[in-house]
Amino acid sequence: MKNVVVVGSQWGDEGKGKIVDWLSSKADVVVRFQGGHNAGHTLVIDGVTYKLRLLPSGIVRKNKISIIGNGVVVDPWALLDEIKEIKSKGVIVDENNLILSESANLILPFHKEMDEIREDAAGNAKIGTTRRGIGPAYEDKIGRRSIRVMDLVSESNLDHRLETVLIHHNAIRKGLGKQIYKKEQLKKDLLKIAPEILKFSQPVWKKIDEYKAKGKKILFEGAQGILLDVDHGTYPFVTSSNTVAATAATGSGCGPNTINYVLGITKAYTTRVGEGPFPTELKDKIGELLGNRGKEFGTVTSRKRRCGWFDGVLVRQTIKISGIDGIALTKLDVLDELEEIKMSIAYELNGKKIDYLPAAVDDQLKVKPIYKTFKGWKSSTKGIKDFEKLPDNAKLYIKELEKFIETKISSISTSPERSDTILIESPF
C-alpha cells in the first residue's frame, strides 16, 4: 500500500487535474490539505468537463471518499455552489462521500473585501491575488480569531467569535476609510447555511486514521505550486499557505509517516499567474505560442498565464525542498512546433554564476538564466503512449531534463486526455 501526495513543482497550473484524476481512479480516499477556492482543477471524464475548486478530484468518481482537510480555508457559499454545480452534472455528493474537517477555517465576505481593498491600495506593488479572501482568512487563522466550521454549531459561540474577528477587521477598515462591517446579517446568513455545511463535518484526523487501519489507499491533493509556498516560494509573491508535500500531514491531521510517495507535477515549460519574479519568462512570439498552444488561462480566474522556458534550476530546488520522489512531466506536446527549445541550467547574479534561486526578491528579479539549447523535434507527440515512439529529439530533451533535476520521470503527458500518458512508474 502507498499513500501518495501530489504537488505542483513550479508556480501551479502544471496540469495536476489530469494526473490527480488518473490517480484518484486508483485511490480509495482523496484529501485536499491546503489552499482555498483560488486554484482549480479541470477534469474531463467521458466527454464531461468538471471544474473543481474546493472539492477534491475524487468526488466525480463513484465509491471514493473525498475529504477537505483542516488546512483548507473554506468559503461556505462557494462550497455549496460548487456542490450544486457538480450535482447538476449527475455527480452524487452527500455526507457518505464528502467529509469536511470540523477544524477548517471559514472565508467570510469581509475577507474577500479586505483582499480587494489591499490589492487596489497596493498599486504597482500588488501581489496579484485572486481576490477571493484566501490571505486574510489565513491571517485570521494565525491570529487565533477566525471562524471555524465547528463554530456554526452554537449561535452564542458564533456571535462571540464574530464579535472578536470584527473588532480586528473594523479597526483596519476604519483606518482605510471604509465602512465598518456589521455582524448581524452575516450571523443570520451563516446560521441559515449552517445545517448544509455541518452535515459534512467530521474529525478528519480520526477518519484518516480509520482508513489507514483498513489499508485504504489515500491520495493527498495539493493546490498551486511549491514556488508559491509562503516559506519556500518567491516571497512576497506567494500564496498564504504552505504548498510543499509536508503540509499534507499537518493539513489533514496525520503523521508524516503516512506519506509513502511524493509526486511532483511538472510542466515541460514554465508558466506563472500574477506578479513576481520569473527568470525564464518569454515576452515574445515564442511565449505567445506556448500560451496559445497550451491554452494557458486560469481554471478559476481565466487570467492569462505568463509563459517561459523550462527552469531546471527552480524545479531541482523545489524537488529537494518538497522531497519529491518522481515527477509527472506534462504538456510535452505544446513544444512540438518549436525549432529549438531551451532549459535554464544556472543563473547569473551580479556577474557571478549560481545554481539556485536566492531568497531575496530583489535578487530573484535580477537573476539572468543561463540556458542549454536543444533542437526541436518539429513533429507531433500528441497521444503517444510509448516512450520509444517519441521523436529522438524529444527523448533527448526529456533525458537531459531528468538528469539535470536529479529525479526520475514517472510519467509523460502528451495531451489533455487522461489516456494519452506514457507511464514509466506508477506511484500506487
Side-chain angles (χ1 to χ4, degrees):
M1 181 200 67
K2 280 186 178 179
N3 297 325
V4 178
V5 179
V6 174
V7 290
S9 70
Q10 294 154 307
W11 277 291
D13 311 308
E14 298 94 349
K16 289 188 290 294
K18 170 184 169 176
I19 306 299
V20 168
D21 173 47
W22 172 69
L23 288 172
S24 67
S25 68
K26 300 175 181 296
D28 302 304
V29 182
V30 184
V31 183
R32 270 288 308 272
F33 58 85
Q34 52 75 223
H37 64 310
N38 54 334
H41 292 332
T42 300
L43 310 179
V44 181
I45 301 172
D46 297 329
V48 181
T49 299
Y50 304 96
K51 293 191 176 182
L52 305 178
R53 294 166 287 279
L54 276 168
L55 293 172
S57 298
I59 200 71
V60 298
R61 298 193 169 277
K62 293 179 180 178
N63 304 316
K64 309 290 180 185
I65 303 295
S66 291
I67 295 177
I68 299 173
N70 55 275
V72 180
V73 284
V74 178
D75 181 323
W77 294 279
L79 176 59
L80 293 174
D81 285 345
E82 190 172 337
I83 290 171
K84 183 179 178 181
E85 179 187 333
I86 211 83
K87 279 184 170 181
S88 73
K89 297 188 176 184
V91 176
I92 295 171
V93 183
D94 57 29
E95 51 269 46
N96 295 312
N97 69 343
L98 177 63
I99 298 172
L100 170 63
S101 172
E102 60 184 5
S103 303
N105 292 256
L106 299 182
I107 300 173
L108 300 176
F110 54 78
H111 291 130
K112 182 180 177 184
E113 289 180 21
M114 185 59 69
D115 212 348
E116 292 170 343
I117 289 167
R118 285 179 177 168
E119 280 290 275
D120 290 340
N124 291 334
K126 65 183 180 180
I127 300 297
T129 77
T130 56
R131 298 171 177 251
R132 280 168 165 73
I134 311 297
Y138 272 116
E139 286 180 46
D140 283 347
K141 174 182 178 177
I142 299 303
R144 294 164 292 188
R145 57 181 170 264
S146 70
I147 313 297
R148 300 197 288 176
V149 170
M150 65 182 73
D151 293 323
L152 300 178
V153 173
S154 162
E155 181 176 348
S156 60
N157 183 56
L158 178 61
D159 187 85
H160 170 68
R161 298 301 302 160
L162 284 171
E163 192 77 42
T164 300
V165 72
L166 286 175
I167 287 172
H168 172 83
H169 277 268
N170 281 335
I172 298 173
R173 292 170 74 99
K174 192 173 180 180
L176 293 171
K178 304 295 180 180
Q179 282 189 331
I180 64 168
Y181 205 96
K182 303 286 181 66
K183 76 172 181 182
E184 289 306 321
Q185 186 58 50
L186 177 56
K187 186 173 80 169
K188 288 179 184 177
D189 292 342
L190 283 169
L191 290 172
K192 182 179 178 181
I193 64 168
E196 298 177 72
I197 295 295
L198 289 171
K199 71 180 183 182
F200 299 112
S201 173
Q202 292 193 52
V204 160
W205 67 269
K206 193 171 187 298
K207 296 301 297 184
I208 290 179
D209 189 58
E210 290 173 13
Y211 297 136
K212 284 168 59 180
K214 292 176 181 177
K216 301 288 188 184
K217 291 180 181 177
I218 305 172
L219 174 65
F220 296 90
E221 175 185 6
Q224 294 124 337
I226 297 166
L227 291 169
L228 292 175
D229 185 279
V230 70
D231 285 304
H232 302 288
T234 48
Y235 190 91
F237 300 97
V238 292
T239 193
S240 300
S241 62
N242 288 109
T243 59
V244 293
T247 313
T250 53
S252 61
C254 65
N257 60 347
T258 300
I259 300 165
N260 306 114
Y261 190 98
V262 179
L263 180 66
I265 315 302
T266 308
K267 200 176 285 186
Y269 50 103
T270 311
T271 63
R272 167 159 212 175
V273 171
E275 311 302 318
F278 187 170
T280 63
E281 183 174 11
L282 295 169
K283 298 179 180 179
D284 57 13
K285 289 182 179 179
I286 295 175
E288 285 290 321
L289 183 143
L290 292 173
N292 291 330
R293 281 184 57 82
K295 297 181 173 59
E296 298 296 352
F297 298 92
T299 298
V300 173
T301 62
S302 297
R303 288 189 295 177
K304 186 177 180 181
R305 297 172 187 144
R306 298 154 65 190
C307 298
W309 295 121
F310 182 83
D311 195 327
V313 179
L314 281 182
V315 172
R316 184 174 61 187
Q317 186 165 323
T318 61
I319 283 169
K320 295 179 187 302
I321 287 168
S322 208
I324 291 172
D325 296 297
I327 69 163
L329 190 68
T330 63
K331 293 198 169 185
L332 180 71
D333 55 303
V334 173
L335 304 178
D336 285 351
E337 294 183 1
L338 296 173
E339 292 283 351
E340 64 177 26
I341 296 162
K342 295 183 180 182
M343 179 197 306
S344 175
I345 57 169
Y347 298 133
E348 181 188 313
L349 176 62
N350 299 326
K352 294 182 179 179
K353 185 178 178 181
I354 59 173
D355 62 356
Y356 68 100
L357 186 72
V361 69
D362 288 348
D363 289 339
Q364 292 174 354
L365 290 166
K366 283 192 292 188
V367 296
K368 295 178 182 178
I370 297 171
Y371 288 117
K372 182 171 184 176
T373 303
F374 300 84
K375 286 184 179 179
W377 41 92
K378 296 288 289 179
S379 60
S380 178
T381 61
K382 189 172 182 179
I384 292 177
K385 300 179 180 65
D386 181 346
F387 183 82
E388 293 305 320
K389 291 182 180 178
L390 288 171
D392 287 342
N393 285 348
K395 287 189 280 189
L396 176 64
Y397 176 68
I398 292 165
K399 287 176 180 176
E400 285 294 309
L401 185 154
E402 182 179 52
K403 181 180 177 183
F404 184 82
I405 64 173
E406 301 173 5
T407 303
K408 58 193 169 189
I409 293 175
S410 63
S411 66
I412 303 164
S413 177
T414 56
S415 96
E417 295 299 320
R418 190 162 71 94
S419 60
D420 291 343
T421 302
I422 300 169
L423 181 61
I424 300 166
E425 173 186 86
S426 178
F428 276 131

